[in-house]
């Protein structure tokens, strides 16, 4: 099978632009189960999305979710993830198919962790993952990182934050 283009993947999966950067579509929400009550209101027990980074939109900019998120790599080029934990510790993880070289098929990010992602160069021009979010995703639980505020919080990571924030 020849590798499909990013445009073909976006069309086939019905993806739209995400505010973080990249493209996404919700593929599941737990409609048939009781919602879960959080401190911030009712949420689906779980939601899931496809998420795609491409050569034309290669960065998922720094943001923070309250929920835990499990990421699953599917297709294409590797994606590097930068996680800043609440104590300021920086973690870099590469998701990709090359498991014998330390690339990961799964990555769990705990709620309260700042996260950014960036497509690494490869032969496809895109990388496709899925995310399972619990309690289910709600925009009220997500904070997009602002460059100056994030640098104030984590001055030791200012170069990275400069590169992976939009505003
Ligand atoms: N990030 C993780 N899950 C979701 C979702 O369901 N919707 C949006 N917009 N972003 C997400």
């Amino acid at each position: 099978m020849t590798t499909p283009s990013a445009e073909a993947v976006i069309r086939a999966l019905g993806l739209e632009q995400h505010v973080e950067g990249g493209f996404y579509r919700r593929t599941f929400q737990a409609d048939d189960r009781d919602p879960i009550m959080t401190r911030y209101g009712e949420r689906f027990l779980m939601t899931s999305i496809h998420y795609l980074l491409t050569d034309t939109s290669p960065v998922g900019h720094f943001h923070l979710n309250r929920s835990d998120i499990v990421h699953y790599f599917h297709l294409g080029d590797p994606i590097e993830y930068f996680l800043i934990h609440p104590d300021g510790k920086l973690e870099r993880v590469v998701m990709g198919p090359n498991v014998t070289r330390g690339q990961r098929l799964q990555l769990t990010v705990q709620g309260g962790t700042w996260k950014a992602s960036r497509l690494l160069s490869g032969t496809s021009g895109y990388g496709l993952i899925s995310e399972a979010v619990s309690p289910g995703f709600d925009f009220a639980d997500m904070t997009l990182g602002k460059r100056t505020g994030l640098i104030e919080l984590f001055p030791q990571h200012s170069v990275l934050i400069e590169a992976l924030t939009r505003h």
Side-chain angles (χ1 to χ4, degrees):
M1 193 183 92
T2 56
T3 310
S5 66
E7 293 69 30
V9 173
I10 288 169
R11 223 175 305 122
L13 299 179
L15 307 184
E16 295 176 8
Q17 285 194 337
H18 200 290
V19 285
E20 297 159 13
F23 302 86
Y24 82 110
R25 187 168 64 85
R26 185 174 285 196
T27 54
F28 175 75
Q29 58 190 30
D31 291 311
D32 294 337
R33 291 189 176 271
D34 290 340
I36 185 168
M37 182 52 88
T38 74
R39 190 183 312 178
Y40 307 99
E42 272 192 6
R43 303 289 185 259
F44 290 112
L45 187 61
M46 185 172 87
T47 59
S48 187
I49 58 168
H50 285 314
Y51 185 71
L52 182 83
L53 290 176
T54 68
D55 278 348
T56 56
S57 187
V59 172
H61 296 87
F62 266 114
H63 63 283
L64 176 139
N65 281 292
R66 289 193 184 120
S67 294
D68 299 331
I69 305 186
V70 188
H71 305 67
Y72 303 90
F73 183 83
H74 295 305
L75 282 178
D77 301 330
I79 297 173
E80 62 182 346
Y81 280 79
F82 295 99
L83 309 177
I84 304 178
H85 295 277
D87 65 359
K89 193 172 138 288
L90 176 70
E91 187 183 0
R92 178 180 178 270
V93 174
V94 177
M95 296 201 75
N98 204 337
V99 294
T100 59
R101 292 273 170 88
Q103 295 182 0
R104 302 259 298 269
L105 298 176
Q106 275 193 27
L107 167 65
T108 301
V109 176
Q110 282 206 331
T113 308
W114 287 94
K115 174 182 85 176
S117 53
R118 182 161 60 189
L119 184 68
L120 291 174
S121 65
T123 53
S124 302
Y126 59 85
L128 176 70
I129 67 148
S130 282
E131 299 183 9
V133 185
S134 182
F137 181 88
D138 190 301
F139 273 109
D141 297 327
M142 193 258 248
T143 309
L144 264 181
K146 292 214 183 77
R147 185 169 297 153
T148 48
L150 259 191
I151 290 176
E152 266 171 37
L153 273 179
F154 305 113
Q156 68 274 39
H157 305 311
S158 59
V159 173
L160 190 69
I161 292 167
E162 283 273 341
L164 300 179
T165 46
R166 261 198 194 126
H167 305 291

